[in-house]
Amino acid sequence: MDYIRSTSAPSRRPAAARARLAALDVFSSWSISARLMIAFASVAVLAAAANFIVERSVSIVTGPTVAAPLSPAPEQANPVATVEPRVEEDRSLIVATVEPEIEADRSLVAWLSVVVLALLLWISIATVRSVVRPVRQLIDASKRIAAGDPNARVARGGIKELDSLAVAFNDMAERLTKAQVTALDVHHQLEDKVAERTRQLQELAELDPLTGLPNRRHLFTLLNSSLERAAKEQRRVGVLFLDVDNFKNINDSIGHSFGDRVLRGIAQRLQTAVEPLGFAARLGGDEFTIVCEGVTTVEDIAAAGEKIIRAFQSPIDIDGRDLIIGVSVGASVYPDHEQNAEALLIAADTALFNAKSLGRGRVSVFAPELLAGAANKFRIEQDLRRAIERNEFELFFQPEVSVDDLQTQLVEALIRWRTPDGRYIPPGEFLSVAEESGLIVEISDWVLRTAIRAAARWHRGAWPNARVAINVSPRQLLDYRFVDRVRELLTEFELPPHCIEIELTESVLQTGPATIEQLHRLRTLGIAIALDDFGTGYSSLSSLERLPLTRVKLDRSLIESIDTNVRSRSIVRAIIDMCEGLCLQVTAEGLERAEQFERFLGCKNLSLQGYLLSRPVAMDQVFTASASAAQRAQELVLLSKPNAVAAVIKQLPLSPHRSVSA
């Protein structure tokens, strides 16, 4: 592995100096133990040389001793005096002879000492240099790494141990560099994720996650900005409050997942419709708001609302299914109606409530008097909650007279609300509020139980063939527990299923397969099923084929002009003939004039209901009202034209009997 050296460029030194440094560099690669061995060996050589020279000098100096004669000569009178001069002469001669050699040995020892000392000095300098320089490089490289320099490396060199340390340090630095690169990559990825998450949080804070439209919070921000611009430019801003008609039926019957896809389709259709007008936002659920900035008059706001309603008249394709979605729109205008965003939305919501009360599928512009209606709605809701707790509801029953035998075969259960002051409130004044507030579930269950209990009482008493028609709300029908609840009540009160007829409004035709499944389960129990208000709203001839019906009730709007309008008469007659072919019974409700009654004489499998025959009465007056209705029908027959009377007489049984006894 090649390492990047942290040392600077070599300085310009003399060649001799560079040679000496090179020699030191070569020596510096040796290990400390090798250097110590060389030093010890040098000292040992020096000591051995010195010892050799000393011994040699001593041997030279002490040399061979001069032998004395064995016996003194006669003529020598003093032997000691004679020998000593000769010894001194010999010693002087020897010293003079070996002294040059001794000097040479001493010079040799001196030079050896110098060489050994020079070697030791060189070893010491080289050792210090080979230790200090790598250590300094390590310290310098460590500081550079600590300062954030990823390329800091230590040049190899110095004693073997420090060179190994340099290798380890460089390896560590290389790993740190890789780790830093990895950390930077992770950091950048983390920054990207944080940026993406911030963007998502921003979208969640401002946009509805389901439709992508501005949410309630962002709507107020945008609307306040629009109002500020409008105040500066002295112009109007329109606020439209849109609600999807009967959207809950879609959720309850097909499922919330499908309902979410419907909402996305509605949002897309809405964005296309309002693009030239302003922007749309989703408040929540099936409620949307449109802010129109490019308007000049209140009429322009109303026209914008009409345009939006027309945009939803064509089907919306949801998963290959074409749905026709109805919407209602309430409108308010700045500065004509209110001055701030919240007040404008409240005013538009109030106008929306008025649009729904007028029959849905229309635009209503805010007016001050509508606030009284909104306050009344809130009051009714609160009173309804107390009415449930205090059991203030009562059931009234209205007879249906058969044209075949002019007898009462069936009574319809109708709820009334009796206030503490004794006043009766008809269902048309509170059921819509109960639907919107969700209280309809408790109220409908009370109606079901009370009606079955009344039918069981009559069945075991004076009216064995008693039959009661019970109105069921779409929300109640779509409850998966509804059929089990009906079975449970029939068992509790020991009432045969054929004594009950379930009446459904045409709005359930929009609820899909779930409704059909529930109806089949009811028919399996033996319960009759009637389709109420046929001829208005979502009427579809295919529904007569798909739904397991036993009766069709013609809406009063068809009956209203049957005696004065040929087209109405033809339509009613066609429906009756069609139902006869389908083996369905028919009830004409809303009869108020004798002329209307006369138009139905001679029809088969037909029953009549209305104030002309009997008003709804309390439970203890049912027998009297049924007998009175039958008698009234007979009187009307007698007052009718001869041809109509003859048609009725032909249908009367040979042994007529009354279905209800007083």
Side-chain angles (χ1 to χ4, degrees), residues 539-656:
S539 292
S540 172
L541 295 180
S542 63
S543 65
L544 298 180
E545 186 272 331
R546 292 186 296 111
L547 302 179
L549 302 174
T550 58
R551 181 187 299 273
V552 170
K553 299 190 72 172
L554 303 180
D555 186 73
R556 63 180 63 250
S557 63
L558 294 175
I559 310 303
E560 175 64 27
S561 60
I562 191 174
D563 57 330
T564 60
N565 190 306
V566 177
R567 294 174 63 87
S568 296
R569 190 158 55 248
S570 299
I571 292 173
V572 171
R573 174 62 64 179
I575 294 176
I576 293 175
D577 292 342
M578 178 182 60
C579 290
E580 182 179 357
L582 295 173
C583 298
L584 296 176
Q585 296 178 341
V586 179
T587 295
E589 56 182 353
L591 264 69
E592 297 180 353
R593 298 187 300 274
E595 292 79 8
Q596 295 171 328
F597 178 88
E598 183 179 334
R599 296 297 177 180
F600 291 102
L601 295 178
C603 297
K604 297 180 180 180
N605 295 324
L606 179 70
S607 297
L608 303 176
Q609 179 184 9
Y611 285 177
L612 178 65
L613 301 176
S614 176
R615 289 179 174 272
V617 297
M619 179 179 175
D620 56 357
Q621 300 175 2
V622 167
F623 293 158
T624 302
S626 298
S628 176
Q631 183 179 354
R632 176 61 174 160
Q634 295 173 12
E635 293 174 354
L636 290 171
V637 169
L638 295 175
L639 294 175
S640 300
K641 296 178 181 179
N643 291 338
V645 175
V648 173
I649 292 175
K650 288 182 180 180
Q651 295 183 85
L652 291 176
L654 296 177
S655 301

Side-chain angles (χ1 to χ4, degrees), residues 404-407 634 649 651-659:
D404 293 339
D405 57 7
L406 301 180
Q407 300 299 313
Q634 295 173 12
I649 292 175
Q651 295 183 85
L652 291 176
L654 296 177
S655 301
H657 62 276
R658 302 177 71 86
S659 297

Side-chain angles (χ1 to χ4, degrees), residues 411-427:
V411 292
E412 181 181 3
L414 301 169
I415 190 172
R416 295 293 184 270
W417 177 9
R418 188 176 187 274
T419 59
D421 59 3
R423 182 172 60 92
Y424 282 98
I425 302 177

Side-chain angles (χ1 to χ4, degrees), residues 229-307:
R229 290 193 297 269
K232 294 178 181 179
E233 300 172 6
Q234 297 296 312
R235 56 181 176 81
R236 287 183 169 90
V237 173
V239 176
L240 302 179
F241 205 118
L242 180 146
D243 182 79
V244 181
D245 297 335
N246 300 308
F247 179 75
K248 182 170 179 55
N249 292 340
I250 297 177
N251 270 340
D252 293 341
S253 60
I254 307 179
H256 289 272
S257 178
F258 184 82
D260 288 344
R261 293 193 289 276
V262 172
L263 287 175
R264 283 194 288 268
I266 292 173
Q268 293 174 1
R269 178 69 59 85
L270 195 59
Q271 283 181 301
T272 303
V274 306
E275 186 174 359
L277 303 174
F279 65 89
R282 184 189 179 206
L283 288 182
D286 60 339
E287 295 179 339
F288 297 84
T289 299
I290 301 95
V291 177
C292 302
E293 298 186 76
V295 295
T296 56
T297 65
V298 176
E299 289 72 20
D300 291 340
I301 299 295
E306 293 288 352
K307 178 182 177 181

